[in-house]
Amino acid sequence: LMPFSTDMFQEMRRTSSVYGYFYRADIPPFTSANVWEFTQLFMAAQGIGYEDSELLKRIAPRDGVWGQRHQYDLSVFMTDAEILQMDFFRGDLYQSYFRHLDSTGGFYAFGWGDHVVRTIAVAILT
C-alpha cells in the first residue's frame, strides 16, 4: 500500500472532471449487446458528434476496414471506489441518455451494466 500523493477530490475539482477511475478493462461483447447502436441513435437525436470528445475517439475509434464508421471498443472504466461529480449524473443530459437507454429495454433484455453505461455517457456527454 502507498498513500495517495494528491487529494482526488481537489484534483477532480481543479480539472473539472466528472468521473474518476483506476483502469480500463475490456468486457465480453454479450454484456453490452446493442448499447452502442442505441447510443448512436441518442447521439444523432441530440446532435452529438464524434469529433466533440477526445475520450469518445478513444473508446469508439473508426473501424480499421473502411475507416467510415465508429465502433465501440468494448472497454469500460473500472474502479473499486467510484468518484463521481454528481451534478453531471443528475443533470438533464445524462438523465435523458439514461431514459433513452431504459426505454429500449436493454438493461433487462441484454443485462447492460453500470460500467458500460457510465463509460459511454462520460465519453459522449463531456
Side-chain angles (χ1 to χ4, degrees):
L1 295 175
M2 59 188 286
F4 289 107
S5 60
T6 62
D7 182 314
M8 292 181 288
F9 297 104
Q10 287 180 352
E11 187 65 16
M12 285 185 69
R13 188 176 304 116
R14 185 184 70 74
T15 60
S16 298
S17 298
V18 298
Y19 189 77
Y21 66 95
F22 288 110
Y23 61 95
R24 268 177 68 178
D26 294 330
I27 57 173
F30 68 86
T31 63
S32 61
N34 299 316
V35 71
W36 182 242
E37 291 76 10
F38 288 119
T39 295
Q40 289 176 305
L41 292 173
F42 176 80
M43 290 172 63
Q46 296 292 320
I48 298 170
Y50 290 97
E51 310 316 317
D52 295 339
S53 167
E54 289 301 316
L55 182 56
L56 180 57
K57 292 177 198 173
R58 287 194 348 219
I59 71 164
R62 292 189 187 279
D63 67 11
V65 180
W66 301 106
Q68 298 296 317
R69 54 191 186 120
H70 293 266
Q71 281 299 116
Y72 174 50
D73 71 0
L74 300 176
S75 67
V76 295
F77 303 129
M78 299 292 290
T79 181
D80 293 328
E82 290 183 299
I83 302 172
L84 310 170
Q85 204 272 8
M86 292 305 296
D87 289 342
F88 170 80
F89 290 94
R90 291 178 181 146
D92 292 338
L93 197 51
Y94 177 81
Q95 290 297 313
S96 177
Y97 175 61
F98 186 87
R99 283 191 301 274
H100 168 77
L101 291 181
D102 192 34
S103 73
T104 69
F107 289 105
Y108 302 101
F110 304 114
W112 298 336
D114 55 338
H115 286 96
V116 68
V117 172
R118 280 194 298 270
T119 295
I120 294 174
V122 167
I124 69 170
L125 302 176
T126 61

